[in-house]
Amino acid sequence: MLAVPNKRLVRQMLLNAVRKPLTISFHLLHTARRKLFTTMAASQAEVQSSGASKNPKLKAVPDVDIDKNGRFKYILIKVHDPDKEREFKHIVRGYARCEYHADIFDEVAPAIEESGLDCEVLGGGRINHDSSKKKIEINGYSQGYGQANHSITARILNKRFRDYDNITWNNDGY
């Protein structure tokens, strides 16, 4: 038979837990948070098909091309090989010089299509990139394409910017 805990005892234990400061180093906390975001991104969607890394046409397309600094619009693009069924990869493109998300696609699509690949925009958002602080924030949405899956974008950027300590995403903002 289970013993029913005394409410007063439980309340006192909770109050004591709240009053005592938890001492965790900033580095440990940050590392745990980064692993959580990476795990979430991995479980939410595939970044590329299993055969994409062997496909020379897909390998020739860089995963990331974004501005080095500033706040700018970005799009998440699915690139796939029409000759090989189900081979694809996701790429990220973002430039401050482009006023609209569609301008980014208009700039990058011709080169992708000339190499014999097809591409489609999965969504967009905004990136705030501070290379001096090694920090990238991903958020927002595109009025034309809808919101990109920022977890996929974060995972792709984590692969490209391995030395960055702070790549985060959220679904807030415009």
Side-chain angles (χ1 to χ4, degrees):
M1 184 170 191
L2 280 166
V4 178
N6 182 329
K7 287 183 182 178
R8 191 174 288 174
L9 179 63
V10 170
R11 183 179 298 132
Q12 188 61 44
M13 289 171 58
L14 288 172
L15 286 172
N16 286 342
V18 170
R19 288 181 188 147
K20 292 181 182 175
L22 185 61
T23 55
I24 297 178
S25 74
F26 175 77
H27 179 65
L28 180 64
L29 184 62
H30 178 72
T31 303
R33 188 172 132 209
R34 184 172 179 151
K35 285 182 181 179
L36 174 65
F37 275 111
T38 303
T39 303
M40 285 174 58
S43 66
Q44 288 182 3
E46 229 178 88
V47 173
Q48 68 180 24
S49 64
S50 58
S53 60
K54 298 173 188 162
N55 185 320
K57 288 195 280 186
L58 288 173
K59 282 175 63 173
V61 178
D63 293 343
V64 177
D65 185 18
I66 63 172
D67 286 345
K68 294 187 186 301
N69 281 301
R71 182 166 171 80
F72 47 86
K73 295 179 179 182
Y74 90 91
I75 55 175
L76 179 64
I77 303 171
K78 182 177 183 178
V79 179
H80 51 94
D81 188 344
D83 299 330
K84 301 200 178 180
E85 191 176 325
R86 298 185 182 178
E87 285 193 9
F88 72 91
K89 75 184 219 175
H90 293 120
I91 63 172
V92 177
R93 299 292 184 266
Y95 314 112
R97 66 182 172 269
C98 295
E99 187 176 355
Y100 300 104
H101 292 93
D103 295 339
I104 301 169
F105 186 68
D106 291 343
E107 186 174 317
V108 300
I112 292 170
E113 291 168 352
E114 283 175 13
S115 66
L117 297 167
D118 290 335
C119 57
E120 63 182 297
V121 178
L122 300 177
R126 283 171 183 61
I127 291 177
N128 190 5
H129 187 185
D130 187 344
S131 59
S132 65
K133 294 181 181 176
K134 296 188 177 189
K135 179 179 179 180
I136 296 176
E137 297 171 351
I138 309 157
N139 64 4
Y141 62 93
S142 162
Q143 287 185 342
Y145 297 120
Q147 185 175 49
N149 187 332
H150 298 320
S151 67
I152 295 174
T153 304
R155 178 140 186 214
I156 294 168
L157 293 176
N158 268 314
K159 280 180 21 182
R160 167 64 179 81
F161 299 101
R162 293 179 195 271
D163 59 332
Y164 278 40
D165 297 326
N166 197 358
I167 297 177
T168 60
W169 62 271
N170 65 61
N171 290 325
D172 299 332
Y174 164 69

